[in-house]
Amino acid sequence: MEKLYMRNRRLLWGAVILFVVCLAACKKEKPQSLIPDSLAFLQELFNPAYQIDADSIRLMIRSYLNENPVTPWDSALLAHYREKDEFFWLNDSLVSDKPATQVADSMLFWLGDISRHGINPNLYSVNSIRERLQQIRSLKLQEGKTMNRLLADVEYQLTAAYLSYVCQLKFGFLPSERRWNDSINRIPLKHCDVTFANAALDSLRANPIAAFHRAQPSSPLYRKMQEELERVNAWGKTDTTDYYRNRLLVNMERARWQYALEKGKKYVVANVAAFMLQAINEEMDSILEMRICVGSVKNKTPLLSSRIYYMELNPYWNVPQSIIRKEIIPTYRRDTTYFTRNRMKVYDNKTGLQVDPHSIRWAKYAGRGVPYTVKQDNKTGNSLGRIIFRFPNPHSVYLHDTPSRWAFTRKNRAVSHGCVRLQKALDFAFFLLKEPDELLEDRIRIAMDIKPVSEEGKKLSNSATYNELKHYSLEKYIPLFIDYQTVYLSADNNLRYCEDIYKYDSSLLKAMDDLNLKP
């Protein structure tokens, strides 16, 4: 009996392998039988549950997708199984007992290895897929299951897991509503769409192993954090381990997000959490790094993406109404020399005429709208410094120079009203230029009361007829991203940790923990 069983099992295996090989060539018209006449005697070995039909498998997969299509890859899968005859996984490799070399097992390896990205492998139902694969390979069906249903389950689960895997590694695991702390203070991001999902299916079809490798995030920052996470996990569970691990989990997720605005080869990232700015030129393989001052906890710098078009030399400062009410009025009431000392002038909003600040009863405007404009004279002592860099945004913030150099020596540089103060404003201006221009650079220096260095520049500074540069429009805009990363890669290629000054990490960590706790 044992010999007969083994002989029948080998014959059945041969039929199953023949079936899965034939699936790729199977057309939409329903075949009479997927088992050739020469093997018709094998029908006696088959329980009805083992009868296999490609069209039935496709119908089952479409029914799964029709039940609850919620993701871009669901619609891409539905379109594929409606319009195409091919399967991605139902071939002779599926039933092979060589796991190290087969595509399905490679997929399961990558899914199980998702912990290297700080994600729980249970997110992809790896155990469920392994169990179904084992049932196919052992030809042992659970009660009430058919081979058609089992094959449909495996085909759907593997393909859906693959698309989920590549989309989430490319664009992030968390839903949009759990990424930011409010609906305004957020950076527009790219998301997985049908076009990307279809391209991922094409990659799977062309070369599955290459597709898995291509899905891995490859930025230097991400790779460094992966290596660091592996080291931290090896320390064992302590408070210190948790601190670093939590920082890494949160910032690996942030690093998976992709800005909707294309960075190009030359761009600027102001990292609010780190109090650091990096102006990056990939074509020159250079990074201009500098300290910055950002908004206080009370006056947080907004997170945004924009384009720097314009720089202004020696700007006047139109003081915001909120600062007039909350800071200037209380200070003036204690010190009536405030306006004179800070070279500020007051103008009537109705007439536009300058008025004497001592003639105004400031106390009655402390809690409501002030019908006056306060403007600080430009040049020496101006709060914006000698140069400002403007970019469109709804928050009225910008990057600018500052006369308050002392703040750059502080560890915690969250001291501004929301704008970003630059430690190296002159160097930043030069970075923004399309290409080095000695004369233009000297004109910027002269406007900022810095000695020119070129011979032509020295001639300009000595000319009585020279018109000082007041503003300059860039030939090509430079993308700017004001972001928040509590782990970042410094210009010297070292991983740096910084404090969560605005307490943004906690909600993101909670979202990551909730994701990883899913069964």
Side-chain angles (χ1 to χ4, degrees):
M1 286 295 292
E2 184 177 351
K3 289 183 179 179
L4 178 62
Y5 169 78
M6 293 302 296
R7 176 177 175 275
N8 290 347
R9 189 175 185 280
R10 286 195 298 271
L11 290 172
L12 188 55
W13 258 113
V16 172
I17 292 175
L18 181 61
F19 155 71
V20 292
V21 170
C22 291
L23 281 178
C26 181
K27 303 301 180 185
K28 283 197 173 182
E29 51 271 13
K30 186 177 179 66
Q32 294 299 314
S33 174
L34 290 173
I35 301 176
D37 292 338
S38 60
L39 298 176
F41 73 92
L42 288 175
Q43 296 283 10
E44 296 177 3
L45 300 176
F46 278 27
N47 180 294
Y50 284 85
Q51 299 297 316
I52 300 169
D53 183 274
D55 287 346
S56 295
I57 294 173
R58 291 189 191 92
L59 286 172
M60 290 176 186
I61 294 173
R62 288 202 289 268
S63 71
Y64 299 154
L65 292 162
N66 282 324
E67 286 175 5
N68 192 25
V70 294
T71 67
W73 50 87
D74 284 338
S75 55
L77 279 176
L78 188 57
H80 172 82
Y81 289 112
R82 276 177 177 166
E83 300 165 9
K84 301 185 188 302
D85 295 327
E86 65 180 329
F87 294 95
F88 290 102
W89 310 93
L90 301 188
N91 51 52
D92 58 343
S93 70
L94 184 71
V95 296
S96 171
D97 58 355
K98 299 176 182 178
T101 61
Q102 303 308 321
V103 174
D105 294 286
S106 293
M107 181 73 243
L108 291 175
F109 166 80
W110 288 107
L111 295 180
D113 200 44
I114 196 69
S115 56
R116 292 183 61 248
H117 301 274
I119 303 298
N120 189 334
N122 289 338
L123 188 67
Y124 294 113
S125 303
V126 173
N127 292 335
S128 173
I129 297 173
R130 287 191 189 281
E131 181 182 339
R132 284 171 169 77
L133 277 174
Q134 183 57 31
Q135 289 178 44
I136 293 172
R137 288 167 173 166
S138 64
L139 298 177
K140 291 181 180 179
L141 298 178
Q142 291 183 343
E143 186 175 353
K145 280 281 189 179
T146 67
M147 184 60 77
N148 282 337
R149 176 65 67 183
L150 194 55
L151 291 167
D153 286 350
V154 168
E155 172 73 15
Y156 168 71
Q157 285 187 320
L158 280 170
T159 313
Y162 163 77
L163 283 179
S164 175
Y165 177 86
V166 297
C167 285
Q168 290 172 323
L169 281 183
K170 184 75 172 179
F171 302 103
F173 285 80
L174 296 181
S176 299
E177 64 273 12
R178 302 209 67 179
R179 296 185 179 192
W180 308 103
N181 288 64
D182 58 63
S183 59
I184 299 174
N185 189 25
R186 57 175 60 195
I187 304 174
L189 301 172
K190 291 180 182 177
H191 298 278
C192 184
D193 56 19
V194 175
T195 300
F196 178 84
N198 283 329
L201 289 177
D202 289 341
S203 295
L204 178 65
R205 186 184 300 109
N207 188 331
I209 303 302
F212 303 148
H213 283 279
R214 194 178 300 117
Q216 306 307 305
S218 59
S219 73
L221 169 61
Y222 196 90
R223 291 284 182 86
K224 286 269 190 181
M225 286 195 289
Q226 273 191 302
E227 294 169 3
E228 184 83 345
L229 180 62
E230 188 174 345
R231 284 193 292 270
V232 168
N233 285 337
W235 295 347
K237 189 171 179 59
T238 66
D239 289 345
T240 301
T241 301
D242 285 347
Y243 171 86
Y244 287 107
R245 183 177 180 276
N246 291 344
R247 283 279 190 271
L248 290 166
L249 291 183
V250 166
N251 287 280
M252 286 175 74
E253 172 65 7
R254 286 187 178 120
R256 287 186 284 262
W257 303 345
Q258 292 198 41
Y259 301 132
L261 175 62
E262 293 293 342
K263 293 190 296 185
K265 296 293 185 181
K266 190 174 181 180
Y267 56 95
V268 178
V269 178
N271 185 355
V272 174
F275 312 117
M276 297 295 291
L277 178 143
Q278 293 181 339
I280 301 162
N281 188 334
E282 293 182 356
E283 289 183 347
M284 302 293 292
D285 192 25
S286 66
I287 299 177
L288 170 65
E289 186 174 72
M290 70 185 75
R291 295 184 175 193
I292 56 176
C293 295
V294 301
S296 64
V297 173
K298 187 177 179 180
N299 302 286
K300 296 180 177 67
T301 294
L303 309 184
L304 56 86
S305 61
S306 189
R307 300 174 173 91
I308 302 175
Y309 288 95
Y310 182 80
M311 63 179 81
E312 182 180 349
L313 283 303
N314 296 307
Y316 289 87
W317 183 35
N318 292 310
V319 184
Q321 283 276 314
S322 60
I323 296 179
I324 297 175
R325 292 195 311 272
K326 297 176 183 178
E327 297 184 25
I328 291 181
I329 291 177
T331 303
Y332 172 77
R333 294 176 68 185
R334 296 191 302 269
D335 176 9
T336 56
T337 67
Y338 180 84
F339 287 99
T340 304
R341 285 192 299 100
N342 288 282
R343 300 168 56 248
M344 289 180 172
K345 294 178 178 146
V346 181
Y347 299 86
D348 187 293
N349 287 345
K350 290 183 178 179
T351 65
L353 298 176
Q354 184 176 345
V355 296
D356 181 357
H358 301 295
S359 67
I360 300 170
R361 295 177 58 191
W362 291 105
K364 68 178 183 178
Y365 300 119
R368 57 193 180 94
V370 181
Y372 299 98
T373 296
V374 177
K375 180 179 288 190
Q376 187 179 40
D377 284 345
N378 65 347
K379 297 197 174 182
T380 303
N382 185 279
S383 296
L384 302 181
R386 305 304 293 266
I387 189 168
I388 187 172
F389 306 92
R390 298 191 185 276
F391 47 90
N393 72 90
H395 310 284
S396 299
V397 298
Y398 25 79
L399 311 182
H400 65 85
D401 182 27
T402 177
S404 302
R405 311 304 298 176
W406 61 270
F408 294 117
T409 64
R410 295 181 46 162
K411 181 178 179 181
N412 184 330
R413 297 188 287 279
V415 297
S416 81
H417 292 95
C419 289
V420 177
R421 304 176 190 173
L422 305 179
Q423 180 189 29
K424 303 175 183 177
L426 180 65
D427 293 339
F428 186 70
F430 295 166
F431 167 86
L432 295 178
L433 302 180
K434 184 177 181 181
E435 55 190 24
D437 184 328
E438 283 190 346
L439 187 58
L440 177 56
E441 290 171 6
D442 269 346
R443 293 190 69 195
I444 296 172
R445 286 190 181 97
I446 292 168
M448 296 176 67
D449 285 342
I450 299 172
K451 290 182 179 180
V453 297
S454 71
E455 292 304 317
E456 289 298 314
K458 292 174 183 177
K459 291 177 184 177
L460 288 179
S461 64
N462 294 325
S463 172
T465 60
Y466 171 65
N467 291 320
E468 191 175 272
L469 185 67
K470 294 182 178 179
H471 51 77
Y472 180 77
S473 296
L474 302 180
E475 292 184 41
K476 184 180 180 181
Y477 69 80
I478 303 297
L480 166 69
F481 306 93
I482 301 181
D483 208 343
Y484 191 91
Q485 301 163 336
T486 50
V487 178
Y488 73 103
L489 197 62
S490 61
D492 60 4
N493 201 38
N494 286 311
L495 211 59
R496 307 288 188 189
Y497 292 82
C498 46
E499 292 306 310
D500 180 18
I501 56 167
Y502 291 169
K503 308 303 179 187
Y504 287 166
D505 277 11
S506 55
S507 60
L508 197 52
L509 180 62
K510 174 64 164 59
M512 292 297 295
D513 286 343
D514 290 346
L515 176 80
N516 283 328
L517 287 174
K518 287 184 178 179

